[in-house]
Amino acid sequence: MSHKRVAILISGGGSNMLSLVDSMIGGHAGRPCLVLSNDPEAGGLAKAAERGIKTASVDHRPFGKDRSAFEAELLKPLLASQPDIVCLAGFMRVLTGDFVSRFQGRILNIHPSLLPKYKGLNTHARAIEAGDSEHGCTVHEVTAALDDGPVLGQARVEVKAGDTPEELAARVLVQEHKLYPEVLRRYCMGNNDPVLLP
Ligand code: GRF
């Protein structure tokens, strides 16, 4: 059985990356082929290497505002890993339309809100400020528009009275670690039917 090759892009600790990697075992149709970061110090790189997964990093900082130049470098290890699917997992750089178009229809992202609500940053604080009773996370296909592509899965979390953004974020992250692996498992088998976790 030839597995789908899955490349995972991270910027930080990589807890979502680990939930994906640890799920791609046994009968799963995917296998990780690369963990790539825009930060050479990202904690997730060492965790991936411990699991025997190829890692690479391209520091975005020397490129300043020149996203195309940064992406040209980022594409070198990424294309060399020949991914069938690309997963953004806590990857905090906004990608250009040119970059995304190379992987159109096979690049996913997890976002910590119930899209289309709260695209962008500080999603937990914004949900609390708005007085929302529920919040959550979304896995979607990536398009040129930020946090905007077709939804492949959502998980809901109750917002509790007195919640701080940190407390809410921690409960959402637990759901992220369930939702993303389930969506990827199906996606690797060609099933894009949305997953809705309670
Ligand atoms: C997650 O909440 C993810 O949704 C967001 O960044 C956070 C990073 O988590 N984009 P990790 O790096 O996967 O632990």
Side-chain angles (χ1 to χ4, degrees), residues 12-17 89-92 109-112 124 173 176-177:
S15 71
N16 276 293
M17 175 273 295
F91 185 72
M92 303 308 282
N109 180 44
I110 186 150
H111 182 75
H124 311 298
L173 199 58
E176 292 182 40
H177 296 163

Side-chain angles (χ1 to χ4, degrees), residues 127-147:
I128 290 168
E129 269 154 39
D132 291 357
S133 59
E134 66 172 9
H135 181 46
C137 53
T138 303
V139 176
H140 62 98
E141 261 185 25
V142 177
T143 59
L146 183 66
D147 300 332

Side-chain angles (χ1 to χ4, degrees), residues 27 49 64 68 76 90 96 99 109 130 132 139 158 164 179 182 196-197:
S68 300
K76 291 176 181 170
T96 66
F99 186 99
N109 180 44
D132 291 357
V139 176
E158 179 200 354
T164 63
L179 179 68
E182 180 54 22
L196 300 177
L197 295 186

